[in-house]
């Protein structure tokens, strides 16, 4: 082949494996920031729209109610009205119960089911989420703030700290949404949340033994051994009347839940069961005067709607650091639960919710709530499931629920005077037993042992340590797994699948045939400083193992090392330096480095670092099959250079042979 023909072939090779055109630096930065913070490109619909239409659509984007309200119909209102009344029947007893779990006055739980749902109905993008208080953040607030201020001895300061923590939780949530940092929540993996929620639910159930057994004094610690010690040391103070009543109502609640699961059409039975329990318990106590025989009751609830509380936020308190810490942690947990619940139910109706918009909505409703005597709210799974099953169409169901709670606050609070605390404990235990998803944990064991380890570590950390310990352990293990994926990426030997031009892992396809004289190594991750050293060692370990195998079996001498870079989406300077070291070491061993299917970023780095010139563009191929065919052709036509010193002098001859091989592919 002449010089002209060789040049023509090289031009054809450059067409096959191209380097992306260079972009200005500001374009690269702009593209990276956009892809990081705006992967969903939320403003794509505004393009090519007149200015007035852009303003309207922009306003609708930030205030979703403006988008669907003009199309709202009476038929939709009928469905939302029924759903709203149904979830209100659940919101009232749950609100009172969870407020007690947070060591707050019961009326605070009712306040928290009035203002936040109204705010969310205006700003939220989910049609199904029902807003209210939840057990785990309630317990978290009690555990974290109760260490600093005793809610029994100093209830006013404690309440102010809870409201302040709610304010900072809302501020943190809104900030994540505004700055498009919702990816932070993604670090709470499914396994982490599963174990954490299960552990927290177990702790909540243990704490409710105080109400079931009618105990007055109880430990503020949340770990299993402290609760067990508190129960056993107060054995002589157990009240059998309270225990019998609690077990009866717990059995009733679990029975209605079981029946509703078996007969989906009767979901309303389970939804009405908590309010029915409250009514029955109150009537029973009123007529039997059980409050005089060891059954504790709620007592008087303050009438009237939410009083303003902006002036009560404890910004100048010496405990402000604890309030901020509690707000951030509970805010993240509430976000993770709320967004997960919203996305789950959105899938059933085939629509999409924007996670960042939801964060803004959650943040603003909690900021507004902290200024109106409400504590932290999100979207509880149980209440949202009832809302969904009741046939809600839009967020108007939250408005109906809020109005119903408002009527309760204005006119019905005296009726809750005789509500026994043991009934509220039964309601909480019934709800929490559904959160402990042991079947999902078993599924994790079958699917991924490491995820199961993360899940069970979170559970054990929460139950036997503390909620903070469990969360930290689970997140640390999840981060460790991410770091292991980056620092120790998968590499594998590829072979030719029988009767095809496809090359796959010989571990996955044991019958895949390796090519004599050619070692094909697949690198399964981007090459960064964290894994460059490991990959270099692993590549040469593969080479040593292959040469040892050839020596033992007297096979064809190894002459080519093909690196499959199809999974290498990016590479940094450490990665390029590693490839350069591999190239030099292979030259010393009289082996030829061949690259297959490098991506755009890899090609740019190879070209700018001059490594492409060192390797030779004729040794960079579009596919593994092309690279192997060329190397195989050369192996059967001539012997490659035997000494490293002669490599440079034989480049032209080798290029011509490679060109002929390419023409034969």
């Amino acid at each position: 082949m002449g010089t002209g023909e060789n040049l023509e072939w090289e031009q054809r090779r450059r067409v096959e494996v191209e380097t992306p055109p260079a972009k200005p630096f500001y374009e690269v930065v702009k593209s990276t920031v956009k892809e990081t913070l705006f992967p969903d490109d939320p403003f794509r619909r505004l393009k090519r729209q007149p200015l007035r239409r852009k303003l309207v659509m922009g306003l609708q984007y930030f205030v979703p109610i403006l988008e669907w309200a003009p199309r709202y119909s009476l038929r939709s209102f009928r469905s939302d009205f029924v759903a709203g009344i149904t979830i209100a029947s659940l919101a009232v007893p749950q609100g009172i119960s969870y407020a007690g779990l947070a060591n707050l006055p019961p009326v605070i739980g009712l306040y928290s089911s009035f203002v936040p749902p109204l705010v969310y109905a205006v700003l939220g993008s989910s049609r199904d989420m029902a807003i209210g208080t939840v057990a785990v953040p309630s317990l978290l607030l009690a555990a974290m703030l109760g260490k600093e201020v005793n809610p029994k001895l100093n209830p006013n300061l404690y309440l102010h700290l809870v409201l302040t923590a709610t304010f900072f939780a809302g501020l943190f949530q809104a900030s994540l949404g505004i700055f498009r940092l919702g990816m932070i929540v993604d670090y709470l993996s499914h396994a982490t949340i599963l174990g954490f929620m299960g552990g927290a639910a177990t702790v909540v159930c243990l704490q409710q033994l105080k109400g079931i057994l009618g105990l007055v004094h109880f430990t503020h610690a949340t770990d299993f051994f402290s609760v067990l010690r508190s129960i056993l040391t107060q054995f002589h103070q157990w009240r059998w009347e309270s225990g019998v009543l609690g077990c009866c109502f717990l059995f009733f609640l679990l029975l209605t839940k079981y029946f509703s699961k078996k007969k989906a059409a009767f979901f309303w039975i389970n939804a009405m069961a908590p309010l029915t329990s409250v009514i029955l318990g109150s009537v029973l106590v009123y007529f039997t005067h059980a409050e005089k025989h060891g059954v504790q009751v709620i007592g008087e609830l303050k009438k009237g709607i939410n009083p303003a509380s902006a002036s009560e936020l404890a910004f100048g308190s010496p405990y402000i650091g604890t309030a901020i810490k509690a707000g951030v942690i509970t805010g993240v947990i509430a976000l993770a639960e709320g967004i997960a619940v919203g996305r789950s139910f959105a899938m059933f109706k085939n629509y999409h919710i924007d996670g960042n918009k939801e964060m803004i909505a959650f943040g603003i409703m909690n900021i507004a709530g902290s200024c109106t005597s409400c504590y932290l709210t999100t979207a509880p799974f149980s209440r949202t499931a009832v809302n969904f099953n009741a046939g809600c169409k839009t967020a108007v169901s939250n408005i109906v629920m809020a109005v119903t709670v408002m009527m309760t606050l204005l006119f019905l609070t005296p009726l809750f005077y005789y509500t026994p605390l043991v009934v509220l404990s039964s309601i909480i235990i019934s709800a929490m037993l559904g959160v402990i998803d042991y079947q999902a944990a078993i599924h994790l064991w079958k699917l991924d042992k490491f995820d199961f380890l993360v899940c069970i570590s979170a559970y054990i950390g929460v139950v036997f340590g503390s909620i903070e310990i469990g969360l930290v352990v689970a997140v640390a293990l999840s981060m460790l797994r991410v770091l292991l994926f980056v620092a120790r990426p998968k590499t594998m030997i590829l072979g030719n699948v029988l009767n095809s031009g496809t090359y796959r892992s010989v571990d996955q396809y044991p019958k895949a045939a390796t090519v004599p004289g050619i070692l094909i190594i697949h690198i399964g991750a981007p090459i960064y400083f964290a894994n460059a050293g490991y990959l270099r060692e692993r590549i040469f370990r593969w080479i040593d193992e292959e040469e040892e195998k050839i020596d033992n079996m007297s096979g064809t001498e190894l002459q080519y090392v093909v690196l499959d870079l199809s999974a290498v989406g990016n590479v940094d300077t450490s990665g390029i330096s590693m490839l350069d070291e591999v190239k030099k070491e292979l030259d010393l061993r009289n082996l030829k480095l061949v690259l297959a299917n490098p991506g755009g970023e890899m090609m740019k780095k190879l070209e700018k670092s001059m490594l492409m010139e060192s390797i030779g563009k004729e040794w960079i191929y579009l596919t593994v099959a092309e690279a192997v065919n060329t190397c195989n052709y050369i192996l059967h036509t001539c012997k490659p250079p035997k000494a490293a010193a002669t490599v440079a002098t034989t480049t032209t001859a080798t290029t011509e042979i490679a060109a002929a091989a390419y023409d034969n592919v």
Side-chain angles (χ1 to χ4, degrees):
M1 181 182 291
T3 306
E5 291 174 334
N6 182 52
L7 180 60
E8 180 184 353
W9 176 80
E10 287 185 357
Q11 288 173 343
R12 288 169 60 189
R13 292 301 302 139
R14 281 196 292 271
V15 171
E16 292 297 324
V17 185
E18 294 185 355
T19 302
K23 293 182 180 179
F25 178 71
Y26 75 91
E27 285 286 346
V28 175
V29 173
K30 177 183 175 182
S31 176
T32 303
V33 171
K34 181 180 178 182
E35 191 62 29
T36 302
L37 301 182
F38 300 93
D40 53 344
D41 194 9
F43 303 112
R44 62 186 180 277
R45 294 190 303 160
L46 300 182
K47 297 172 183 176
R48 300 179 181 177
Q49 296 285 349
L51 180 59
R52 183 177 179 181
R53 181 61 182 161
K54 284 183 178 180
L55 293 175
V56 172
M57 292 178 69
L59 192 59
Q60 289 176 340
Y61 176 80
F62 290 107
V63 188
I65 194 173
L66 298 178
E67 182 178 359
W68 54 263
R71 304 189 305 271
Y72 196 68
S73 64
L74 180 61
R75 184 176 180 181
S76 296
F77 178 72
R78 290 172 184 166
S79 300
D80 288 334
F81 182 78
V82 172
I85 295 296
T86 305
I87 57 176
S89 68
L90 187 62
V92 171
Q94 278 191 348
I96 295 173
S97 302
Y98 293 153
L101 193 60
N103 293 326
L104 294 170
V107 73
I108 299 295
L110 295 180
Y111 291 159
S112 302
S113 294
F114 174 45
V115 172
L118 293 176
V119 176
Y120 182 82
V122 175
L123 299 176
S125 59
S126 172
R127 306 171 196 166
D128 303 290
M129 281 202 285
I131 301 302
T133 55
V134 283
V136 175
S138 300
L139 183 66
L140 268 171
L141 287 171
M144 298 180 73
L145 298 178
K147 291 179 180 178
E148 302 293 335
V149 177
N150 192 312
K152 301 291 185 183
L153 300 178
N154 202 340
N156 288 332
L157 177 58
Y158 178 80
L159 174 59
H160 295 169
L161 287 178
V162 170
L163 296 177
T164 307
T166 301
F167 174 84
F168 282 107
L171 186 64
F172 181 70
Q173 291 171 336
S175 300
L176 289 181
I178 292 170
F179 294 107
R180 313 288 294 184
L181 296 177
M183 55 185 147
I184 292 177
V185 180
D186 294 337
Y187 284 102
L188 293 174
S189 66
H190 171 69
T192 301
I193 294 175
L194 183 66
F196 175 79
M197 296 296 286
T202 302
V203 168
V204 169
C205 291
L206 291 173
Q207 287 284 334
Q208 296 318 299
L209 293 176
K210 171 189 176 183
I212 296 292
L213 298 174
L215 299 175
V216 178
H217 304 290
F218 206 71
T219 179
H220 293 293
T222 59
D223 64 284
F224 173 79
F225 294 112
S226 296
V227 173
L228 186 64
R229 189 182 305 112
S230 183
I231 292 172
L232 295 178
T233 54
Q234 300 185 72
F235 176 77
H236 59 286
Q237 297 182 15
W238 291 9
R239 305 305 299 253
W240 68 267
E241 302 93 337
S242 180
V244 170
L245 192 63
C247 290
C248 290
F249 277 106
L250 181 59
F251 176 76
F252 169 72
L253 291 165
L254 294 177
L255 184 64
T256 57
K257 181 181 292 188
Y258 176 80
F259 182 75
S260 296
K261 283 185 177 180
K262 291 294 183 181
K263 303 287 185 180
F266 294 98
F267 72 91
W268 54 271
I269 293 179
N270 184 41
M272 297 295 293
L275 185 59
T276 303
S277 299
V278 169
I279 295 172
L280 290 176
S282 301
V283 171
L284 183 65
V285 170
Y286 178 77
F287 284 106
T288 61
H289 300 288
E291 76 277 9
K292 298 178 181 179
H293 301 283
V295 177
Q296 302 174 50
V297 296
I298 288 179
E300 185 177 356
L301 287 180
K302 184 179 178 182
K303 285 183 67 174
I305 58 174
N306 304 35
S309 58
S311 60
E312 297 177 359
L313 299 180
F315 294 128
S317 169
Y319 307 108
I320 185 66
T322 304
I324 294 173
K325 176 185 173 183
V328 170
I329 292 176
T330 54
V332 170
I333 297 299
L335 268 184
E337 181 177 356
I339 292 176
V341 167
R343 286 176 175 170
S344 299
F345 285 96
M347 287 192 297
F348 288 116
K349 292 187 178 179
N350 196 28
Y351 70 93
H352 174 72
I353 64 171
D354 186 330
N356 287 293
K357 286 168 65 176
E358 289 300 295
M359 291 177 185
I360 296 174
F362 282 4
I364 293 177
M365 80 178 185
N366 279 312
I367 291 173
S370 68
C371 298
T372 52
S373 301
C374 307
Y375 81 105
L376 189 66
T377 52
T378 184
F381 179 84
S382 58
R383 202 177 301 185
T384 302
V386 169
N387 194 33
F388 177 86
N389 290 325
C392 69
K393 300 297 182 183
T394 66
V396 169
S397 60
N398 278 290
I399 298 176
V400 174
M401 178 188 69
V403 171
T404 305
V405 173
M406 179 191 72
M407 300 300 291
T408 302
L409 284 166
L410 289 174
F411 305 109
L412 303 179
T413 50
L415 299 179
F416 293 97
Y417 182 92
Y418 289 100
T419 300
L421 296 182
V422 66
V423 171
L424 302 182
S425 295
S426 301
I427 292 171
I428 293 176
I429 291 175
S430 174
M432 290 300 98
L433 288 177
V435 177
I436 305 173
D437 195 347
Y438 66 91
Q439 292 180 334
I442 294 173
H443 180 68
L444 283 181
W445 171 259
K446 295 177 181 178
L447 193 65
D448 191 314
K449 299 296 189 292
F450 195 95
D451 268 352
F452 176 80
L453 175 64
V454 171
C455 174
I456 204 68
S457 298
Y459 182 85
I460 292 173
V462 170
V463 174
F464 295 99
S466 67
I467 290 178
E468 298 96 319
I469 290 174
L471 189 60
V472 168
V473 168
V475 172
L477 283 173
S478 296
M479 294 300 295
L480 176 63
R481 186 175 198 184
V482 172
L483 292 175
L484 285 175
F485 281 151
V486 174
R488 295 294 182 266
K490 281 282 187 181
T491 60
M492 59 192 74
I493 299 298
L494 303 185
N496 179 239
V497 179
L498 190 63
N499 298 324
S500 75
T502 305
Y503 289 81
R504 290 292 183 267
S505 168
V506 294
D507 290 330
Q508 184 180 359
Y509 297 89
K511 293 183 179 180
T514 56
V515 184
I518 305 172
L519 179 63
I520 312 166
I521 303 174
H522 174 81
I523 298 177
I527 306 174
Y528 296 124
F529 64 93
N531 61 26
Y534 167 78
L535 285 174
R536 180 190 179 282
E537 299 301 325
R538 194 66 187 91
I539 288 170
F540 283 107
R541 186 142 49 97
W542 282 123
I543 294 171
D544 292 339
E545 290 173 3
E546 182 69 14
E547 289 182 331
E548 184 178 344
K549 188 190 302 180
I550 291 170
D551 290 340
N552 293 335
M553 300 178 64
S554 301
T556 304
E557 183 182 355
L558 181 63
Q559 296 185 23
Y560 294 94
V561 176
V562 178
L563 295 184
D564 177 17
L565 304 176
S566 55
V568 181
N570 210 333
V571 62
D572 66 359
T573 52
S574 298
I576 292 295
S577 298
M578 182 273 290
L579 289 175
D580 189 31
E581 291 175 14
V582 169
K583 168 68 172 60
K584 292 175 181 177
E585 179 69 21
L586 290 179
D587 286 345
L588 292 174
R589 294 192 183 196
N590 298 327
L591 300 175
K592 186 64 184 175
L593 176 64
V594 183
L595 305 183
N597 199 13
E601 287 299 317
M602 174 68 77
M603 289 297 291
K604 285 194 290 186
K605 298 287 177 64
L606 288 174
E607 189 171 19
K608 291 179 180 179
S609 66
M610 307 300 291
L611 184 56
M612 183 183 293
E613 183 178 332
S614 174
I615 295 174
K617 219 172 187 183
E618 67 275 10
W619 294 109
I620 301 176
Y621 292 86
L622 189 63
T623 65
V624 173
E626 287 183 8
V628 172
N629 287 341
T630 301
C631 296
N632 210 17
Y633 181 82
I634 297 172
L635 278 172
H636 291 85
T637 55
C638 74
K639 294 182 179 180
K642 290 296 181 183
T646 63
V647 170
T649 61
T650 58
T651 301
T652 303
T654 308
T655 299
E656 292 181 356
I657 295 168
Y662 181 77
D663 290 333
N664 279 276
V665 173

